[in-house]
Structures are given as C-alpha cells and as structure tokens.
Coordinates of all heavy atoms in Angstrom, one line a residue:
M1 N 7.6 -10.6 10.4 CA 7.3 -9.3 11.0 C 5.9 -8.9 10.6 O 5.5 -9.2 9.5 CB 8.4 -8.2 10.7 CG 8.1 -6.9 11.3 SD 9.5 -5.8 11.1 CE 10.2 -5.9 12.8
G2 N 5.3 -8.1 11.4 CA 3.9 -7.5 11.1 C 3.9 -6.4 10.1 O 4.9 -5.9 9.6
K3 N 2.7 -5.8 10.0 CA 2.5 -4.7 9.2 C 2.8 -3.4 9.9 O 2.6 -3.3 11.2 CB 1.0 -4.6 8.8 CG 0.5 -5.9 7.9 CD -0.9 -5.7 7.5 CE -1.9 -5.6 8.6 NZ -2.1 -6.7 9.4
L4 N 3.4 -2.4 9.3 CA 3.7 -1.2 9.9 C 2.6 -0.5 10.6 O 2.7 0.1 11.7 CB 4.4 -0.2 8.9 CG 4.9 1.1 9.4 CD1 5.9 1.0 10.5 CD2 5.5 2.0 8.3
C5 N 1.4 -0.6 9.9 CA 0.2 0.1 10.5 C -0.2 -0.6 11.8 O -0.8 0.2 12.7 CB -0.9 0.0 9.5 SG -1.5 -1.6 9.2
D6 N 0.3 -1.8 12.1 CA 0.0 -2.4 13.4 C 1.1 -2.1 14.3 O 0.8 -1.9 15.6 CB 0.0 -3.9 13.3 CG -1.2 -4.4 12.4 OD1 -2.3 -3.6 12.5 OD2 -1.2 -5.5 11.9
I7 N 2.4 -1.9 13.9 CA 3.5 -1.5 14.8 C 3.3 0.0 15.1 O 3.5 0.3 16.3 CB 4.8 -1.8 14.0 CG1 4.9 -3.3 13.7 CG2 6.0 -1.2 14.8 CD1 6.0 -3.6 12.7
D8 N 3.1 0.8 14.2 CA 3.0 2.2 14.4 C 1.8 2.9 13.6 O 1.9 3.2 12.4 CB 4.3 3.0 13.9 CG 4.2 4.5 14.1 OD1 3.2 5.0 14.7 OD2 5.2 5.2 13.7
P9 N 0.6 2.9 14.3 CA -0.6 3.3 13.6 C -0.6 4.7 13.1 O -1.5 5.2 12.3 CB -1.7 3.0 14.6 CG -1.1 3.0 15.9 CD 0.3 2.5 15.7
Y10 N 0.4 5.6 13.6 CA 0.5 7.0 13.2 C 1.5 7.2 12.1 O 1.7 8.3 11.7 CB 0.8 7.8 14.5 CG -0.4 7.7 15.4 CD1 -0.3 6.9 16.6 CD2 -1.5 8.5 15.2 CE1 -1.4 6.9 17.4 CE2 -2.6 8.4 16.1 CZ -2.5 7.6 17.2 OH -3.6 7.6 18.1
A11 N 2.1 6.2 11.6 CA 3.0 6.3 10.5 C 2.4 6.9 9.3 O 1.2 6.4 8.9 CB 3.7 5.0 10.2
R12 N 2.9 7.9 8.7 CA 2.2 8.5 7.5 C 3.2 8.3 6.2 O 2.7 8.6 5.1 CB 2.2 10.0 7.8 CG 1.3 10.4 9.0 CD 1.3 11.8 9.1 NE 0.5 12.1 10.3 CZ 0.1 13.4 10.6 NH1 0.3 14.4 9.8 NH2 -0.7 13.6 11.7
S13 N 4.3 7.9 6.4 CA 5.2 7.7 5.2 C 6.2 6.6 5.4 O 6.5 6.2 6.5 CB 5.9 9.0 4.9 OG 6.8 9.4 5.9
G14 N 6.8 6.2 4.4 CA 7.8 5.1 4.4 C 8.3 4.9 3.0 O 8.0 5.6 2.1
T15 N 9.2 3.9 2.9 CA 9.7 3.5 1.6 C 9.7 2.0 1.5 O 10.0 1.3 2.3 CB 11.2 3.9 1.5 OG1 11.3 5.4 1.6 CG2 11.7 3.6 0.1
I16 N 9.0 1.6 0.4 CA 8.9 0.1 0.2 C 9.8 -0.3 -1.0 O 10.3 0.6 -1.8 CB 7.5 -0.3 -0.2 CG1 7.1 0.1 -1.6 CG2 6.5 0.2 0.9 CD1 5.9 -0.6 -2.2
V17 N 10.2 -1.5 -1.1 CA 10.8 -2.1 -2.3 C 9.7 -3.0 -2.9 O 9.1 -3.8 -2.2 CB 12.1 -3.0 -1.9 CG1 12.6 -3.7 -3.1 CG2 13.1 -2.2 -1.1
V18 N 9.5 -2.7 -4.1 CA 8.4 -3.3 -4.9 C 8.7 -4.8 -5.2 O 9.7 -5.1 -5.9 CB 8.1 -2.6 -6.3 CG1 7.0 -3.2 -7.1 CG2 7.7 -1.1 -6.0
Q19 N 7.9 -5.7 -4.6 CA 8.2 -7.1 -4.8 C 7.4 -7.6 -6.2 O 7.9 -8.4 -6.9 CB 7.7 -7.9 -3.7 CG 7.8 -9.4 -3.9 CD 7.3 -10.2 -2.7 OE1 6.2 -10.0 -2.2 NE2 8.0 -11.2 -2.3
S20 N 6.2 -7.1 -6.4 CA 5.4 -7.5 -7.6 C 4.5 -6.2 -8.0 O 4.1 -5.4 -7.1 CB 4.6 -8.7 -7.3 OG 3.6 -8.5 -6.4
C21 N 4.3 -6.3 -9.2 CA 3.4 -5.3 -9.8 C 2.6 -5.9 -11.0 O 3.2 -6.2 -11.9 CB 4.1 -4.0 -10.2 SG 3.2 -2.6 -10.8
E22 N 1.3 -6.1 -10.7 CA 0.5 -6.8 -11.7 C -0.7 -6.0 -12.1 O -1.4 -5.5 -11.2 CB 0.1 -8.3 -11.2 CG 1.3 -9.1 -10.9 CD 0.8 -10.4 -10.2 OE1 -0.4 -10.5 -10.0 OE2 1.7 -11.2 -9.9
Q23 N -1.0 -5.9 -13.4 CA -2.1 -5.1 -13.9 C -3.4 -6.0 -13.6 O -3.5 -7.1 -13.8 CB -2.0 -4.7 -15.3 CG -3.1 -3.8 -15.7 CD -2.8 -3.1 -17.1 OE1 -2.2 -3.7 -18.0 NE2 -3.3 -1.9 -17.3
R24 N -4.4 -5.3 -13.1 CA -5.8 -5.9 -12.8 C -6.6 -5.6 -14.0 O -6.4 -4.7 -14.9 CB -6.3 -5.3 -11.5 CG -5.5 -5.7 -10.4 CD -6.2 -5.1 -9.1 NE -5.5 -5.6 -8.0 CZ -6.0 -6.4 -7.0 NH1 -7.2 -6.7 -7.0 NH2 -5.3 -6.7 -6.0
A25 N -7.8 -6.3 -14.1 CA -8.7 -6.2 -15.2 C -9.3 -4.8 -15.3 O -9.6 -4.3 -16.4 CB -9.9 -7.2 -14.9
D26 N -9.4 -4.0 -14.2 CA -9.9 -2.6 -14.3 C -8.8 -1.6 -14.7 O -9.1 -0.4 -14.7 CB -10.5 -2.2 -12.9 CG -9.6 -2.1 -11.8 OD1 -8.4 -2.4 -12.0 OD2 -10.1 -1.8 -10.6
G27 N -7.6 -2.0 -15.0 CA -6.5 -1.1 -15.4 C -5.7 -0.6 -14.4 O -4.7 0.1 -14.6
T28 N -6.1 -0.9 -13.0 CA -5.2 -0.5 -11.9 C -4.1 -1.6 -11.8 O -4.1 -2.6 -12.4 CB -6.0 -0.3 -10.6 OG1 -6.6 -1.6 -10.3 CG2 -7.1 0.8 -10.8
W29 N -3.2 -1.3 -10.8 CA -2.0 -2.2 -10.6 C -2.1 -2.6 -9.2 O -2.2 -1.8 -8.3 CB -0.8 -1.5 -11.0 CG -0.7 -1.1 -12.4 CD1 -1.3 -0.1 -13.1 CD2 -0.1 -1.9 -13.5 NE1 -1.0 -0.2 -14.4 CE2 -0.3 -1.2 -14.7 CE3 0.7 -3.0 -13.5 CZ2 0.3 -1.6 -15.9 CZ3 1.2 -3.4 -14.7 CH2 1.0 -2.8 -15.9
A30 N -1.7 -3.9 -9.0 CA -1.7 -4.5 -7.6 C -0.2 -4.6 -7.3 O 0.6 -5.2 -7.9 CB -2.3 -5.9 -7.6
V31 N 0.2 -3.8 -6.3 CA 1.6 -3.7 -5.9 C 1.8 -4.3 -4.5 O 1.1 -3.9 -3.6 CB 2.1 -2.2 -6.0 CG1 3.5 -2.1 -5.5 CG2 1.9 -1.7 -7.4
R32 N 2.8 -5.2 -4.4 CA 3.2 -5.7 -3.0 C 4.6 -5.2 -2.8 O 5.5 -5.2 -3.6 CB 3.1 -7.3 -3.1 CG 1.6 -7.8 -3.2 CD 1.7 -9.2 -3.0 NE 0.4 -9.8 -3.2 CZ -0.1 -11.0 -3.0 NH1 0.8 -11.8 -2.5 NH2 -1.2 -11.3 -3.2
A33 N 4.8 -5.0 -1.5 CA 6.1 -4.7 -1.0 C 6.9 -5.9 -0.6 O 6.2 -7.0 -0.3 CB 6.0 -3.8 0.3
E34 N 8.2 -5.9 -0.6 CA 8.9 -7.1 -0.2 C 8.6 -7.4 1.3 O 8.7 -8.6 1.7 CB 10.4 -6.9 -0.4 CG 10.9 -7.0 -1.9 CD 12.4 -6.9 -2.1 OE1 13.1 -6.6 -1.1 OE2 12.7 -7.1 -3.2
D35 N 8.4 -6.3 2.0 CA 8.2 -6.5 3.5 C 7.0 -5.6 3.9 O 7.1 -4.4 3.8 CB 9.5 -6.0 4.3 CG 9.4 -6.2 5.7 OD1 8.3 -6.5 6.3 OD2 10.4 -6.0 6.4
D36 N 5.9 -6.2 4.4 CA 4.8 -5.4 4.8 C 5.0 -4.5 5.9 O 4.3 -3.5 6.2 CB 3.6 -6.3 5.2 CG 2.9 -7.1 4.0 OD1 3.2 -6.5 2.8 OD2 2.2 -8.0 4.2
A37 N 6.1 -4.6 6.7 CA 6.5 -3.8 7.8 C 7.0 -2.4 7.3 O 7.3 -1.5 8.1 CB 7.5 -4.5 8.7
T38 N 7.1 -2.2 6.0 CA 7.7 -1.0 5.4 C 6.6 -0.1 4.9 O 6.9 1.1 4.6 CB 8.7 -1.2 4.3 OG1 8.1 -1.9 3.2 CG2 9.9 -2.0 4.9
T39 N 5.3 -0.6 4.7 CA 4.3 0.3 4.2 C 3.4 0.9 5.3 O 2.9 0.1 6.2 CB 3.4 -0.5 3.1 OG1 2.4 0.4 2.7 CG2 2.7 -1.7 3.8
P40 N 3.2 2.2 5.2 CA 2.4 2.9 6.2 C 0.9 2.7 5.9 O 0.0 3.1 6.8 CB 2.8 4.3 6.1 CG 3.2 4.5 4.7 CD 3.8 3.2 4.3
F41 N 0.5 2.1 4.8 CA -0.9 2.1 4.4 C -1.7 1.0 5.2 O -1.3 -0.1 5.3 CB -1.1 1.7 2.9 CG -0.7 2.9 2.0 CD1 0.6 3.0 1.5 CD2 -1.5 3.9 1.8 CE1 1.0 4.0 0.7 CE2 -1.2 5.0 1.0 CZ 0.1 5.0 0.5
Y42 N -2.8 1.4 5.7 CA -3.7 0.5 6.5 C -4.7 -0.2 5.5 O -5.4 0.6 4.8 CB -4.5 1.2 7.5 CG -5.2 0.3 8.5 CD1 -4.6 -0.2 9.7 CD2 -6.5 -0.1 8.2 CE1 -5.3 -1.0 10.5 CE2 -7.1 -1.0 9.0 CZ -6.5 -1.4 10.2 OH -7.2 -2.3 11.1
P43 N -4.7 -1.5 5.3 CA -5.7 -2.1 4.5 C -7.1 -2.1 5.1 O -7.3 -2.0 6.3 CB -5.2 -3.6 4.3 CG -4.5 -3.8 5.7 CD -3.9 -2.5 6.0
E44 N -8.1 -2.1 4.1 CA -9.5 -2.2 4.6 C -9.7 -3.5 5.4 O -9.2 -4.5 5.1 CB -10.4 -2.2 3.4 CG -11.9 -2.2 3.6 CD -12.7 -2.2 2.4 OE1 -12.1 -2.0 1.2 OE2 -13.9 -2.4 2.6
G45 N -10.5 -3.3 6.4 CA -10.8 -4.5 7.3 C -11.4 -4.1 8.6 O -11.1 -3.0 9.2
G46 N -12.3 -4.9 9.1 CA -12.9 -4.7 10.5 C -13.7 -3.4 10.6 O -13.8 -2.8 11.6
G47 N -14.2 -3.0 9.4 CA -15.1 -1.8 9.4 C -14.3 -0.5 9.2 O -14.8 0.5 8.9
Q48 N -12.9 -0.6 9.1 CA -12.0 0.5 8.9 C -11.8 0.7 7.3 O -11.4 -0.4 6.7 CB -10.8 0.4 9.6 CG -9.8 1.4 9.1 CD -9.1 2.1 10.2 OE1 -9.5 2.1 11.5 NE2 -8.3 3.1 9.9
P49 N -12.0 1.9 6.7 CA -11.7 2.0 5.3 C -10.2 1.9 5.1 O -9.5 2.2 5.9 CB -12.4 3.3 5.0 CG -12.4 4.1 6.2 CD -12.6 3.0 7.3
A50 N -9.8 1.6 3.9 CA -8.4 1.6 3.5 C -7.8 3.0 3.5 O -8.6 3.9 3.1 CB -8.2 0.8 2.2
D51 N -6.5 3.1 3.8 CA -5.8 4.4 3.5 C -5.7 4.6 2.0 O -5.7 3.6 1.2 CB -4.5 4.3 4.0 CG -4.5 4.5 5.6 OD1 -5.3 5.1 6.1 OD2 -3.4 4.0 6.3
H52 N -5.7 5.9 1.7 CA -5.3 6.3 0.3 C -4.1 7.2 0.4 O -3.8 7.6 1.5 CB -6.5 7.1 -0.3 CG -7.7 6.2 -0.7 ND1 -8.7 6.7 -1.5 CD2 -8.0 5.0 -0.3 CE1 -9.6 5.7 -1.6 NE2 -9.2 4.7 -0.9
G53 N -3.5 7.5 -0.8 CA -2.3 8.4 -0.8 C -1.6 8.2 -2.1 O -2.2 8.0 -3.2
T54 N -0.2 8.2 -2.0 CA 0.6 7.9 -3.1 C 1.8 6.8 -2.9 O 2.2 6.8 -1.8 CB 1.3 9.2 -3.7 OG1 2.1 9.8 -2.6 CG2 0.3 10.2 -4.1
L55 N 2.1 6.2 -3.9 CA 3.2 5.2 -3.8 C 4.0 5.4 -5.1 O 3.5 5.3 -6.2 CB 2.5 3.8 -3.7 CG 3.5 2.6 -3.6 CD1 4.3 2.8 -2.2 CD2 2.8 1.3 -3.5
G56 N 5.3 5.8 -4.9 CA 6.1 6.1 -6.1 C 5.5 7.2 -6.9 O 5.7 7.2 -8.1
G57 N 4.8 8.1 -6.3 CA 4.2 9.3 -7.0 C 2.9 9.0 -7.6 O 2.3 9.8 -8.2
K58 N 2.4 7.7 -7.6 CA 1.2 7.3 -8.2 C 0.1 7.2 -7.2 O 0.3 6.7 -6.0 CB 1.4 6.1 -9.0 CG 2.5 6.2 -10.0 CD 2.6 4.9 -10.9 CE 3.8 5.0 -11.9 NZ 4.0 6.2 -12.5
A59 N -1.2 7.4 -7.6 CA -2.2 7.4 -6.6 C -2.5 6.0 -6.1 O -2.7 5.0 -6.9 CB -3.6 7.9 -7.3
V60 N -2.7 5.8 -4.7 CA -3.2 4.6 -4.3 C -4.7 4.7 -3.9 O -5.0 5.7 -3.1 CB -2.4 4.3 -2.9 CG1 -3.0 3.1 -2.1 CG2 -1.0 4.2 -3.1
T61 N -5.5 3.9 -4.5 CA -7.0 4.2 -4.4 C -7.6 3.0 -3.5 O -8.8 3.2 -3.1 CB -7.6 4.0 -5.8 OG1 -7.3 2.8 -6.4 CG2 -7.1 5.2 -6.7
D62 N -6.8 2.0 -3.1 CA -7.4 1.0 -2.2 C -6.2 0.2 -1.6 O -5.0 0.2 -2.3 CB -8.3 0.1 -3.0 CG -9.2 -0.8 -2.1 OD1 -9.2 -0.4 -0.8 OD2 -9.9 -1.6 -2.6
V63 N -6.4 -0.3 -0.5 CA -5.3 -1.2 0.0 C -6.1 -2.4 0.6 O -7.1 -2.2 1.4 CB -4.5 -0.5 1.2 CG1 -3.4 -1.4 1.7 CG2 -4.0 0.8 0.6
R64 N -5.7 -3.6 0.3 CA -6.4 -4.8 0.7 C -5.3 -5.8 1.3 O -4.2 -5.8 1.0 CB -7.0 -5.5 -0.5 CG -8.0 -4.6 -1.2 CD -8.5 -5.2 -2.5 NE -9.3 -4.2 -3.2 CZ -9.8 -4.4 -4.4 NH1 -9.4 -5.5 -5.1 NH2 -10.5 -3.5 -5.0
L65 N -6.0 -6.8 2.0 CA -5.2 -8.0 2.4 C -5.6 -9.1 1.6 O -6.8 -9.4 1.4 CB -5.5 -8.3 3.9 CG -4.7 -7.6 5.1 CD1 -5.2 -8.2 6.4 CD2 -3.2 -7.7 4.9
E66 N -4.6 -9.7 0.9 CA -4.8 -10.8 0.1 C -3.8 -11.9 0.4 O -2.6 -11.6 0.4 CB -4.8 -10.5 -1.4 CG -5.8 -9.5 -1.9 CD -5.7 -9.1 -3.3 OE1 -4.9 -9.6 -4.1 OE2 -6.5 -8.3 -3.8
E67 N -4.4 -13.1 0.8 CA -3.5 -14.2 1.2 C -2.5 -13.7 2.3 O -1.4 -14.1 2.4 CB -2.7 -14.7 0.0 CG -3.6 -15.3 -1.1 CD -2.8 -15.7 -2.3 OE1 -1.6 -15.7 -2.3 OE2 -3.6 -16.2 -3.2
G68 N -3.1 -12.9 3.2 CA -2.3 -12.4 4.3 C -1.3 -11.3 4.1 O -0.6 -11.0 5.0
R69 N -1.2 -10.9 2.9 CA -0.2 -9.8 2.5 C -0.9 -8.5 2.1 O -2.1 -8.5 1.6 CB 0.6 -10.3 1.2 CG 1.5 -11.5 1.5 CD 2.6 -11.2 2.4 NE 3.4 -10.0 2.0 CZ 4.3 -9.9 1.0 NH1 4.5 -10.9 0.3 NH2 4.9 -8.7 0.8
V70 N -0.3 -7.4 2.3 CA -0.8 -6.1 1.9 C -0.7 -5.9 0.4 O 0.4 -6.1 -0.1 CB -0.2 -4.9 2.7 CG1 -0.6 -3.6 2.2 CG2 -0.3 -5.1 4.2
V71 N -1.8 -5.6 -0.2 CA -1.7 -5.2 -1.7 C -2.3 -3.8 -1.9 O -3.3 -3.5 -1.4 CB -2.6 -6.2 -2.4 CG1 -2.8 -5.8 -4.0 CG2 -2.1 -7.7 -2.3
H72 N -1.5 -3.0 -2.5 CA -1.7 -1.6 -2.8 C -2.4 -1.5 -4.2 O -1.8 -2.1 -5.2 CB -0.5 -0.8 -2.8 CG 0.4 -0.8 -1.6 ND1 1.3 -1.9 -1.5 CD2 0.4 -0.1 -0.5 CE1 1.9 -1.7 -0.3 NE2 1.4 -0.7 0.3
V73 N -3.5 -1.0 -4.4 CA -4.1 -0.8 -5.6 C -3.7 0.6 -6.1 O -4.2 1.7 -5.5 CB -5.7 -1.0 -5.6 CG1 -6.3 -0.7 -7.0 CG2 -6.1 -2.3 -5.1
V74 N -2.9 0.6 -7.2 CA -2.2 1.9 -7.7 C -2.6 2.2 -9.1 O -2.9 1.3 -9.9 CB -0.7 1.7 -7.5 CG1 0.0 2.9 -8.0 CG2 -0.4 1.3 -6.1
E75 N -2.7 3.5 -9.3 CA -3.1 4.0 -10.7 C -1.8 4.1 -11.6 O -1.7 5.2 -12.1 CB -3.9 5.2 -10.7 CG -5.3 5.1 -9.9 CD -6.1 6.3 -10.0 OE1 -5.7 7.4 -10.3 OE2 -7.3 6.2 -9.7
G76 N -1.1 3.1 -11.7 CA 0.0 3.1 -12.6 C 1.1 2.1 -12.1 O 1.1 1.7 -10.9
A77 N 1.9 1.6 -13.1 CA 2.8 0.6 -12.8 C 4.1 1.1 -12.1 O 4.5 2.3 -12.2 CB 3.2 -0.1 -14.0
L78 N 4.7 0.3 -11.2 CA 5.9 0.5 -10.6 C 6.9 -0.6 -10.9 O 6.4 -1.7 -11.0 CB 5.7 0.6 -9.0 CG 4.8 1.8 -8.5 CD1 4.6 1.6 -7.0 CD2 5.4 3.1 -8.8
E79 N 8.2 -0.2 -11.0 CA 9.2 -1.2 -11.4 C 9.5 -2.2 -10.3 O 9.8 -1.7 -9.2 CB 10.4 -0.5 -11.9 CG 11.5 -1.4 -12.5 CD 12.7 -0.7 -12.9 OE1 12.6 0.5 -13.2 OE2 13.7 -1.4 -13.0
V80 N 9.5 -3.5 -10.6 CA 9.7 -4.5 -9.7 C 11.2 -4.3 -9.2 O 12.1 -4.1 -10.0 CB 9.5 -5.9 -10.2 CG1 10.0 -7.0 -9.2 CG2 8.0 -6.1 -10.4
G81 N 11.5 -4.4 -7.9 CA 12.8 -4.2 -7.4 C 13.2 -2.8 -7.0 O 14.3 -2.5 -6.4
S82 N 12.4 -1.8 -7.5 CA 12.7 -0.4 -7.1 C 12.2 0.0 -5.8 O 11.2 -0.7 -5.2 CB 12.0 0.5 -8.3 OG 10.6 0.5 -8.2
S83 N 12.7 1.1 -5.4 CA 12.2 1.7 -4.1 C 11.2 2.7 -4.4 O 11.2 3.4 -5.4 CB 13.4 2.3 -3.3 OG 14.3 1.5 -2.9
A84 N 10.1 2.7 -3.6 CA 9.1 3.7 -3.9 C 8.7 4.4 -2.6 O 8.4 3.8 -1.5 CB 7.8 2.9 -4.5
A85 N 8.5 5.6 -2.6 CA 8.1 6.5 -1.4 C 6.7 6.3 -1.3 O 5.9 6.3 -2.2 CB 8.4 7.9 -1.7
A86 N 6.2 6.0 0.0 CA 4.9 5.7 0.4 C 4.4 6.9 1.3 O 5.0 7.2 2.3 CB 4.7 4.4 1.1
E87 N 3.2 7.5 0.8 CA 2.8 8.7 1.6 C 1.2 8.6 1.7 O 0.5 8.5 0.8 CB 3.0 10.0 0.9 CG 4.5 10.4 0.6 CD 5.1 10.9 1.9 OE1 4.5 11.5 2.7 OE2 6.3 10.7 1.9
V88 N 0.8 8.5 3.0 CA -0.6 8.4 3.3 C -1.3 9.7 3.3 O -0.7 10.6 3.8 CB -0.9 7.7 4.7 CG1 -2.3 7.7 5.1 CG2 -0.2 6.3 4.7
D89 N -2.4 9.8 2.7 CA -3.2 11.0 2.7 C -3.9 11.1 4.0 O -5.0 10.6 4.3 CB -4.2 11.0 1.5 CG -5.1 12.3 1.5 OD1 -4.9 13.1 2.4 OD2 -6.1 12.3 0.6
W90 N -3.2 11.7 5.0 CA -3.6 11.8 6.4 C -5.0 12.5 6.6 O -5.7 12.3 7.5 CB -2.5 12.3 7.3 CG -2.6 12.0 8.7 CD1 -3.0 12.9 9.7 CD2 -2.4 10.8 9.3 NE1 -3.0 12.3 10.9 CE2 -2.6 10.9 10.7 CE3 -1.9 9.5 8.9 CZ2 -2.4 9.9 11.7 CZ3 -1.8 8.5 9.8 CH2 -2.0 8.7 11.2
E91 N -5.2 13.5 5.7 CA -6.3 14.3 5.9 C -7.7 13.7 5.4 O -8.7 14.2 5.7 CB -6.1 15.6 5.2 CG -4.9 16.5 5.7 CD -5.0 16.8 7.1 OE1 -6.0 17.3 7.6 OE2 -4.0 16.7 7.8
R92 N -7.6 12.6 4.6 CA -8.6 12.0 4.1 C -9.6 11.4 5.1 O -9.4 11.0 6.1 CB -8.2 10.8 3.1 CG -9.3 10.2 2.4 CD -8.9 9.2 1.5 NE -9.9 8.3 1.0 CZ -10.2 7.2 1.6 NH1 -9.6 6.7 2.7 NH2 -11.3 6.5 1.3

C-alpha cells in the first residue's frame, strides 16, 4: 500500500505503530511506522518541504524517504511496538 499523503493529501492526523526507533548522530531519533499508509506526514521531495508536527507528543522536525520508506526525524524516542498519535502542523 502507498503512503497516506499520496492517498489523502489533506490528512492532518493519524495513528502509527512504531516499527523502529533509532538514535541518530545528531541526537534525534529516526522513527518508522509499521505501515506508511498510516502516517499523515509528507516526506521532503520534488521541491516540497517535509511536514512538521508531533508524533507521540514529540516534535517531528523532518520527514524523509529512505530506501523507499517514510522516516520521521523526532526529538525523542518512541517505544517500538507502541501506538503513537501523528499530528501535522497544518499552519506551518
């Protein structure tokens, strides 16, 4: 299945199940959802900047495509296997 942002570009919120959460060298965390069709965040690409907002109550500062999967750059760890509310900062 595709990314939620491709299916519904006006989606502002959703709930993901955390598949992985790995700390990056800069201290942020790379978070992947089990299913990209559950995240409303649009990754940077094609001249469009990435969405920002919150994931599990923690700030999302970037969203990227890595190896064809959506990766959320988050300012804090999320527990693998947990559900996390995803909220896009629509006003940004």
Side-chain angles (χ1 to χ4, degrees):
M1 182 169 255
K3 299 182 299 294
L4 180 58
C5 63
D6 293 335
I7 298 164
D8 181 2
Y10 295 100
R12 298 179 186 195
S13 63
T15 301
I16 72 159
V17 175
V18 178
Q19 179 182 46
S20 66
C21 182
E22 299 174 357
Q23 191 165 27
R24 294 182 175 245
D26 66 0
T28 60
W29 295 81
V31 176
R32 290 186 185 189
E34 285 186 355
D35 182 355
D36 285 345
T38 61
T39 178
F41 289 96
Y42 190 92
E44 180 177 350
Q48 169 126 2
D51 284 334
H52 290 194
T54 60
L55 188 58
K58 301 185 186 321
V60 175
T61 58
D62 197 10
V63 184
R64 304 173 184 169
L65 274 181
E66 294 180 3
E67 299 176 1
R69 296 288 314 281
V70 176
V71 176
H72 309 83
V73 178
V74 182
E75 291 185 350
L78 297 173
E79 185 177 342
V80 172
S82 69
S83 294
E87 299 284 334
V88 173
D89 179 359
W90 197 255
E91 301 302 316
R92 182 178 166 269

